[in-house]
Structures are given as structure tokens and as C-alpha cells.
Amino acid sequence: MKIGENGNQRSWTKIALSSLSAMVAETTTFPIDLTKTRLQLHGQSLSSSRSTNAFRLASEIVRSEQGFLGLYKGLSPAIIRHLFYTPIRIVGYEHFRNILGGTDADSLSLSSKALIGGLSGVIAQVVASPADLVKVRMQADGRLVSEGLGRRYSGPFDALNKIVHSEGFGGLWRGVFPNVQRAFLVNMGELACYDSAKHFVIRNRICEDNIYAHTLASVMSGLSATALSCPADVVKTRMMNQIEGVVVYRNSYDCLVKTVKIEGLKALWKGFFPTWARLGPWQFVFWLSYEKFRKISGFSSF
């Protein structure tokens, strides 16, 4: 086998392993993601809305939307999204890191890792944005049902068809700019922090390159990614939930201003706890799975 062919085969193997790990992590933490999305949509443009929290909202979903299964509304487009999003950003980050830093992953500065992490996230999000849009719309559908209104979409393919028919092909990328902004911030915090934190822990002999190092690194990267991305995530969610003919926000900046004006500055961090509560377990499950799969397949640690 030629070297180039072997390199391509290894890249495809990494893509498959990252996709599998992402599917496991997404299925495990999806109820938290659904709760976070509903919490961010709660009270939008209504200063008098009754306050709520993640636990109360999750209880209402279980009670009014087909029980526990209601917490998995929109799982299928979320899985489809990660078949594109996660491999591009994870394998892309490692590829760029190897080009700039060679075999010594710890030789790059934190700022360099943050930049290539952000850029990898941007590329991945542009590709996966249609699936992300469908996921948000289907998650928001459950709220309409609980309010006595009709469901907009019967499934992910029905959602894709209706969005293209009513909003045009470009409608699949509605909210792409706040989406890209969030992806840059999330991956800047997540990938750079995980990479640097894990090597810091190993280099300082806090623990070996094992489950403990991966757990510490994933918790730190989850907190960093959440703090950086939560405002952009709120704006992204509200922009993507808009439909043709019912425009509440003209653009991302207008959404940002109206959200702060009507609901206060703290509204930009709505869903912070469920976002972190999802990112922490998501990264824990993903990185443990991915690192284990890499080891089984004969690859070095990430």
C-alpha cells in the first residue's frame, strides 16, 4: 500500500471513530440539550413571562409531551448533524495542529491552538448548519404542542422539505452567522482547552494519559466553551427558530440588542447551567470513547 493511500485510510478511520463517539455522546446528553434550547426560547421578547428553570422545564416536557420520549424530540437531525460536524472539526483540528506543530502537539501555544480550533469549528458548522436548523425547529415544535398549537414538522426530512419549499434552499442556512460565531467560540474553548489541559496534566504528572486526565481536561474545556459561547448560542437559537413571514429579529445584532433590552443582560446566559451540564458529560463521553477507540485502532492519543 502506498503511503498516501495509508494516510487516507487512517484519516477515514479517524472520521469514522469520531462520528461513532459523537453519536454515543449526543444520544446520552440530548435531553439536556433539548432543555437548554427550550430554556433559551422561553420568554423571548416577553418581559412579563413567568420565570422558570431547567428542572421545571424538563418536568413539563415529560408531563406534556409523550413522557420521557419527549426529551428526545429532534434527536435524529442532531445525530445527522454530528455525522458531518464532529469529524470535520476534530480531524480538521488534528490535521492543522500536525501541520503547524509537527509530531509534538504540545509545542504550539494556547493562542495557536485556539485559532485552529475556532477555524475548524467554523468550517464544520457551515457544512452542518442545515441539520442544526432542523434540530432546533423540531426541538421548538414540542413547545408549540404543549401550548395547544399544531406541530410544524412530522420528521427531519419533512422539515427539510418544508423549509426548502417555503423559505428557499438558502433557508437551510438561516442563522448561519450566529451559528458560525458560536462554533468558533465553542471550538476555540473546547478543543484548545482540552488539548492544552490534558497535556498540562500529563506533563506535570498529575496523572497519566488515562481516564482521569481525560475527565479533568473535558470538565475544564466544557466550562471554558460554555462561558465563551453561551451568548452566541442564545442568539443562534432565536434566529434559527424564526420562520418566513414572522420575523422578530432583523439580524444577529438586532436579536442581541432586543434580548438585552427586554430581558436584561443575564438573558444572554440563559441556559448556562444546562449548556455546561450538557457540554461536560458530552465531552466526557465523547473524549473517553474517542480516546479508547483510537487506542484500540492503533492510533496515538489525541
Side-chain angles (χ1 to χ4, degrees):
M1 182 180 291
K2 296 180 180 179
I3 296 177
E5 291 176 343
N6 185 52
N8 289 334
Q9 187 180 46
R10 291 174 66 83
S11 294
W12 281 111
T13 302
K14 289 179 181 179
I15 288 172
L17 296 179
S18 61
S19 295
L20 179 60
S21 302
M23 289 171 65
V24 173
E26 189 67 20
T27 303
T28 304
T29 62
F30 189 79
I32 305 173
D33 185 41
L34 175 65
T35 302
K36 177 210 69 173
T37 299
R38 297 284 187 87
L39 193 62
Q40 290 174 336
L41 293 174
H42 176 80
Q44 65 175 26
S45 301
L46 292 174
S47 57
S48 60
S49 289
R50 181 171 67 90
S51 63
T52 190
N53 56 53
F55 298 105
R56 183 185 300 165
L57 202 54
S59 298
E60 290 176 358
I61 292 171
V62 172
R63 186 174 62 253
S64 61
E65 300 177 31
Q66 300 178 347
F68 186 73
L69 290 177
L71 293 172
Y72 282 90
K73 293 294 183 183
L75 176 62
S76 51
I79 293 295
I80 294 172
R81 170 182 179 261
H82 274 288
L83 293 178
F84 298 96
Y85 178 67
T86 296
I88 293 174
R89 70 189 184 94
I90 297 296
V91 179
Y93 174 85
E94 187 176 7
H95 179 71
F96 291 139
R97 185 188 65 184
N98 291 342
I99 290 176
L100 296 177
T103 56
D104 184 8
D106 205 26
S107 64
L108 290 177
S109 65
L110 180 60
S111 58
S112 297
K113 291 180 179 179
L115 180 60
I116 62 176
L119 292 176
S120 299
V122 166
I123 295 170
Q125 190 57 62
V126 170
V127 175
S129 196
D132 204 14
L133 174 69
V134 171
K135 183 194 75 169
V136 170
R137 293 280 184 90
M138 288 185 67
Q139 286 178 333
D141 253 11
R143 188 183 63 145
L144 296 178
V145 173
S146 67
E147 294 173 354
L149 302 175
R151 188 180 298 279
R152 291 178 293 181
Y153 314 111
S154 61
F157 295 107
D158 179 57
L160 281 171
N161 182 57
K162 286 181 177 177
I163 291 170
V164 171
H165 182 74
S166 62
E167 303 172 42
F169 187 72
L172 293 174
W173 276 267
R174 182 178 295 276
V176 67
F177 292 111
N179 221 356
V180 163
Q181 292 163 6
R182 175 189 176 276
F184 182 87
L185 294 170
V186 165
N187 287 280
M188 181 176 70
E190 179 185 334
L191 295 176
C193 186
Y194 177 83
D195 194 3
S196 298
K198 190 184 78 168
H199 285 95
F200 175 85
V201 167
I202 297 170
R203 185 174 63 250
N204 289 276
R205 300 182 179 179
I206 298 173
C207 58
E208 299 297 324
D209 187 0
N210 53 28
I211 186 173
Y212 302 109
H214 304 157
T215 299
L216 288 171
S218 66
V219 170
M220 287 186 276
S221 65
L223 284 170
S224 174
T226 304
L228 286 170
S229 68
C230 205
D233 195 27
V234 171
V235 172
K236 178 216 76 168
T237 299
R238 294 189 172 193
M239 288 292 293
M240 293 181 76
N241 192 49
Q242 291 189 129
I243 59 175
E244 194 72 24
V246 187
V247 179
V248 180
Y249 313 111
R250 295 191 304 274
N251 50 48
S252 301
Y253 178 74
D254 184 50
C255 180
L256 180 70
V257 171
K258 285 182 177 178
T259 299
V260 173
K261 184 177 180 180
I262 295 174
E263 303 170 57
L265 186 64
K266 290 195 300 183
L268 294 178
W269 277 269
K270 272 190 172 183
F272 179 90
F273 176 73
T275 299
W276 175 78
R278 174 181 182 270
L279 274 175
W282 195 99
Q283 290 192 57
F284 174 76
V285 175
F286 172 78
W287 287 114
L288 259 65
S289 300
Y290 188 49
E291 296 277 21
K292 187 66 175 179
F293 289 150
R294 285 174 66 101
K295 184 177 181 180
I296 292 173
S297 302
F299 293 105
S300 62
S301 177
F302 180 80

